[in-house]
Each structure stands twice: as C-alpha cells, then as structure tokens.
Amino acid sequence: MAEKSKILVLGGTGYIGKFIVQASAKAGHPTFALIRESTVSHPEKSKLIESFKTSGVTLLYGDLADHESLVKAIKQVDVVISTLGGAQIHDQVKLIAAIKEAGNIKRFLPSEFGIDIDRQQNVTAPPRDKVVILGDGNVKGIYVTEEDIGTYTIKAVVDPRTLNKTLYFRPPANIVTFNELVSLWENKIKSTLEKIYIPEDQLLKLIQESPFPTNLILALGHSTLVKGDCTNFEIDSSFGVEVTELYPEDKYTSVNNYLNAFV
Ligand SMILES: NC(=O)c1ccc[n+]([C@@H]2O[C@H](COP(=O)([O-])OP(=O)(O)OC[C@H]3O[C@@H](n4cnc5c(N)ncnc54)[C@H](OP(=O)(O)O)[C@@H]3O)[C@@H](O)[C@H]2O)c1
C-alpha cells in the first residue's frame, strides 16, 4: 500500500483549498482541515464543510491568529498544506512559528499556487458569441484544472523527488495560445466567435484605471496571456520538478477533453 501521511490543510474552505482537501481524502490520507468556527454557519461554506465530513475529513477549529489552536492542530499531523488566500500570505509566518514550536512536521507546503490560468469563477461555460482576447492571442499559456492541481499537490506531498522543490505543471497538450484555444472551441461548436482584441498598451491603461480586484485580474491576464510568464522560462532542475515528467503514466485533464463537457 502507498505511504499515507496525516495531512492538515489551512484554507480548505477557500477556492483552491477545497480541491486539495478533497484530493487528500480521495487518496486515502487521514485528512484534517483547520476551519474558523465562524465559517461553519456560512450559508455556502457550510455545505462544503458537510461534504468534508462525509469524505471522512477531520475538522479542527482554529484561526491563523490563534497560535495555540495552530500548535494543537499541527501536533496531530505529519504534513501541513497552506492554501490561505492572498490577504493571508504574509501572515503565514505565524503558521511557520507554530510548525517550529510543534516540531513534528515532515513537510510544509506554503500557499504558493502560482498564476495558472484557471477557469473564471462564476463563469459556467465558454462563450458562444464573442470573446475578449488580451494582446494578440499568440502567447502560450498553461491550462490546468483545479482538480488536477489538487491531485498532484497531494501526490507531491509523499514523493521524495519533490522535497524542497517547486512543482511545475506543464502538460504538453495544455500549453496553447489563446487563439488556439478559441479555435479549438470554435471547431467543437461549429461556429465562429467575434474576436475583440485588447492590445497591450490599452490593457496596461485599463489596469491602471481599474479598481481592485479588476486591476489584479487584468494584471494576471497581462502576465500570463501577454507576457507569457508561465512559459517564457526553462525549469531549473535544481529548484523545480515537472508533474507530467514525474508521473508520465498518469492521465491529466486535457484542454480538449475539458471543453467537450460544454459542447
Ligand atoms: N483563486 C484563484 O483563482 C487562484 C488561482 C491561482 C492561484 N491561486 C492561489 O491559491 C492560493 C489560495 O488562494 P484562494 O484564492 O484559493 O484563497 P481564498 O479563496 O481567499 O481562501 C482563503 C482561505 O483562507 C482561510 N482563511 C482566511 N483567513 C484565515 C484565518 N485568519 N485563519 C484561518 N484561515 C483563514 C479562508 O477561510 P474562511 O473560509 O473561513 O474565510 C479560506 O479557506 C493562493 O496562493 C493564491 O495565490 C488562486
């Protein structure tokens, strides 16, 4: 039987975190989620928390601001994964202090889940009439489902090859330009979309003029879709490992298959 670790997730009720909690439980690791007590009665998150319980996840109550609650939770596990949101990234020093005090943690994965181009929240399907394209649409991006991020994060946790490394996800079939993505979709729906291109200078002006969080979303789009920051460098093997090279036998969700669900 594959090695099992006791895994604690902080931020499990967040956008990325829920996929990590679910993947950990699915892989059969004893899974713990540190939940804020106030979130249990949250109208939407309460359903998610119930689904954690159904999957056998142990709920621990605590808060990043409550040192004792962190140490108590950490002492029960082998691995800590943080999926805390952008606003809490700096405060992870509190988590590190608690990990040091507890003294039993074999691995800690900080909340550094990259700038991958993920599906837009609240958007249920790709467009059928028109599409906005940042830049000229010819820059390659990397498209990964959140479920795959969850699955491979959990695989990495018990893999000695990933220790102290950055884990990159570069599935060859999912490294495509935005124009290629649009054309793939057009072929599936047998229709041509109206294309609205936003040139880089116009995009930069929009970023400067837009309020938060629109400016942040546009800036991420500029980085990934115009500058190509996910693909414009080689992985340095002393610091990084690539998922599909580590697990060549695995099947990840391809862009092609992902789009089929919406046809
Ligand atoms: N969202 C995206 O589209 C996206 C895309 C790529 C990468 N990422 C990266 O993924 C990581 C997670 O981001 P996210 O967007 O998934 O975060 P998120 O949705 O904002 O979730 C934040 C999580 O942190 C928890 N939290 C906040 N304050 C806390 C506290 N004081 N004590 C304990 N827990 C607390 C929240 O709990 P409550 O439920 O109680 O509020 C929630 O579970 C980040 O590294 C981000 O850069 C995100």
Side-chain angles (χ1 to χ4, degrees):
M1 205 170 106
E3 184 195 343
K4 299 294 173 204
S5 289
K6 282 185 253 171
I7 297 177
L8 171 69
V9 181
L10 271 93
T13 49
Y15 181 68
I16 296 287
K18 58 180 172 290
F19 294 98
I20 311 281
V21 171
Q22 280 150 357
S24 174
K26 195 172 163 199
H29 298 289
T31 304
F32 300 70
L34 187 107
I35 310 277
R36 293 197 279 184
E37 265 187 292
S38 54
T39 303
V40 177
S41 53
H42 185 285
E44 285 150 35
K45 294 196 178 183
S46 60
K47 287 185 208 128
L48 178 67
I49 293 169
E50 274 310 308
S51 78
F52 287 170
K53 281 197 217 162
T54 312
S55 307
V57 174
T58 304
L59 302 181
L60 303 173
Y61 297 104
D63 195 299
L64 190 57
D66 176 355
H67 180 74
E68 291 312 313
S69 74
L70 296 182
V71 175
K72 198 173 160 203
I74 291 164
K75 280 191 172 162
Q76 301 179 54
V77 300
D78 312 306
V79 171
V80 175
I81 302 178
S82 166
T83 59
L84 292 163
Q88 298 87 43
I89 298 291
H90 290 298
D91 273 351
Q92 286 186 111
V93 288
K94 293 178 182 162
L95 179 56
I96 294 167
I99 289 172
K100 282 186 178 166
E101 185 177 320
N104 57 305
I105 291 305
K106 294 181 188 145
R107 287 233 194 168
F108 167 53
L109 275 66
S111 188
E112 276 294 334
F113 286 85
I115 51 166
D116 334 63
I117 305 162
D118 52 2
R119 66 190 93 140
Q120 270 188 293
Q121 292 171 45
N122 306 322
V123 175
T124 49
R128 285 175 182 264
D129 50 357
K130 55 186 170 193
V131 60
V132 175
I133 299 175
L134 303 183
D136 63 9
N138 288 325
V139 171
K140 284 190 189 291
I142 305 175
Y143 297 83
V144 181
T145 65
E146 292 87 345
E147 288 84 354
D148 281 345
I149 290 174
T151 302
Y152 289 99
T153 300
I154 295 303
K155 276 201 165 204
V157 156
V158 289
D159 188 336
R161 296 171 297 175
T162 63
L163 190 61
N164 294 328
K165 296 274 170 75
T166 298
L167 189 68
Y168 291 93
F169 204 121
R170 288 189 171 180
N174 290 6
I175 305 177
V176 292
T177 68
F178 205 80
N179 286 334
E180 285 167 339
L181 195 64
V182 171
S183 151
L184 189 64
W185 177 238
E186 286 178 327
N187 284 337
K188 286 185 190 295
I189 59 170
K190 298 187 176 36
S191 169
T192 303
L193 303 183
E194 180 195 344
K195 289 150 194 101
I196 303 158
Y197 288 91
I198 302 191
E200 186 174 15
D201 56 346
Q202 207 177 315
L203 175 60
L204 290 171
K205 198 161 173 277
L206 269 175
I207 293 169
Q208 277 179 346
E209 289 168 357
S210 303
F212 178 83
T214 309
N215 57 355
L216 174 67
I217 294 162
L218 290 173
L220 288 173
H222 178 249
S223 165
T224 51
L225 297 167
V226 180
K227 288 175 70 194
D229 286 339
C230 289
T231 52
N232 61 11
F233 63 96
E234 295 293 320
I235 297 171
D236 179 340
S237 59
S238 10
F239 301 105
V241 282
E242 200 281 320
V243 165
T244 62
E245 285 176 11
L246 288 180
Y247 313 110
E249 70 289 354
D250 282 20
K251 283 197 169 46
Y252 53 84
T253 308
S254 68
V255 168
N256 189 36
N257 280 346
Y258 179 72
L259 287 177
N260 282 341
F262 301 102
V263 177

